[in-house]
Amino acid sequence: MQDLDIGFISFLLLGAVAAFAAFYYSFGMLRKWLGQWTRTTNGLVRKTVAHDASLDEHIATQWTEGRLRLDFLLALIKQLGVSLEQNVETLRRLDHADPLYEREASKMVKPTLRRFTFDRHLRDECRILIPSLQFCAQDLAQSQGLDMTQKLKVLAEIQTAINSVDRS
C-alpha cells in the first residue's frame, strides 16, 4: 500500500514539474512574441528589425516602400481634394435667405477644416518623403546603373506641384 502511495506521489510530483516547465516555456515564448510588438495609440504594431542586408538592398527597399507611400499619399490628397470641392459646391448651393442657412453652414465648417488640416499634413509628409526618394533614385542610378532620370523628373514635378499649392 505504501508503494502505491509513493508511486502516486512521485507521479503527481513529476506531473507538477512537467506542468511548471511547460508554463515556464510557454511564458518565455509569449514574452518573446510580445517583444516583437510595440504599443501605439491605435493598437499594437510589429517592430521591424534591420536584417543583415547590403546597403544596396536597403536603399532599393527604401525606394520601393517610399514610392508606394508616395502613391498612397497622392491618392489620399486627390480624394480629399474631390471631397473638399464637393463641400464647397454644397455650401454654394445653400440658400442664404433660408433661416436654416447658418446652422447648415456651421455644421459643414468643422469637417471641412479637418479635411484642410489633414490635406496639409499629407502634403508636408510628401515634402519630407520626396527628397529621400530623390536620394535613393540617385544612389540607385550611380551604384546599380539603373536609369532613374524619368523617375527623378516625375518626383521633381510632384515636388513642384505640392510646393505651388502653398504659394497660391
Side-chain angles (χ1 to χ4, degrees):
M1 191 73 153
Q2 279 185 323
D3 291 335
L4 181 63
D5 289 338
I6 291 176
F8 183 70
I9 290 173
S10 299
F11 180 72
L12 283 177
L13 187 58
L14 183 63
V17 169
F20 177 75
F23 280 126
Y24 182 78
Y25 179 75
S26 298
F27 181 72
M29 293 296 287
L30 179 66
R31 209 173 73 201
K32 183 178 178 183
W33 182 77
L34 287 175
Q36 297 175 350
W37 298 85
T38 301
R39 180 170 295 283
T40 61
T41 55
N42 38 333
L44 293 175
V45 177
R46 188 178 183 98
K47 291 180 185 176
T48 56
V49 178
H51 300 286
D52 293 333
S54 71
L55 182 60
D56 290 341
E57 290 173 1
H58 282 298
I59 291 173
T61 299
Q62 288 300 310
W63 166 258
T64 304
E65 290 176 359
R67 277 298 302 155
L68 292 173
R69 180 68 181 157
L70 184 62
D71 290 343
F72 177 74
L73 291 172
L74 293 174
L76 266 176
I77 289 170
K78 184 177 180 180
Q79 186 179 5
L80 276 173
V82 169
S83 174
L84 287 168
E85 286 176 12
Q86 290 172 348
N87 279 4
V88 169
E89 189 59 36
T90 303
L91 279 170
R92 283 184 186 151
R93 279 188 264 132
L94 290 177
D95 183 16
H96 295 282
D98 188 4
L100 300 176
Y101 170 76
E102 282 188 38
R103 185 174 63 168
E104 290 298 317
S106 64
K107 192 174 16 172
M108 294 180 71
V109 168
K110 187 175 180 181
T112 302
L113 288 176
R114 185 173 177 228
R115 284 186 184 95
F116 273 121
T117 303
F118 190 58
D119 181 70
R120 176 173 282 288
H121 169 75
L122 293 176
R123 290 176 192 279
D124 289 344
E125 189 172 346
C126 288
R127 271 188 215 89
I128 292 169
L129 185 59
I130 289 172
S132 175
L133 285 169
Q134 289 170 331
F135 167 79
C136 290
Q138 290 167 350
D139 186 82
L140 289 171
Q142 291 172 357
S143 66
Q144 296 182 19
L146 299 175
D147 182 21
M148 303 296 273
T149 53
Q150 183 63 28
K151 294 174 181 168
L152 283 166
K153 185 177 177 183
V154 169
L155 285 172
E157 290 172 2
I158 292 170
Q159 189 173 30
T160 302
I162 288 175
N163 289 337
S164 71
V165 170
D166 283 341
R167 292 183 197 127
S168 53

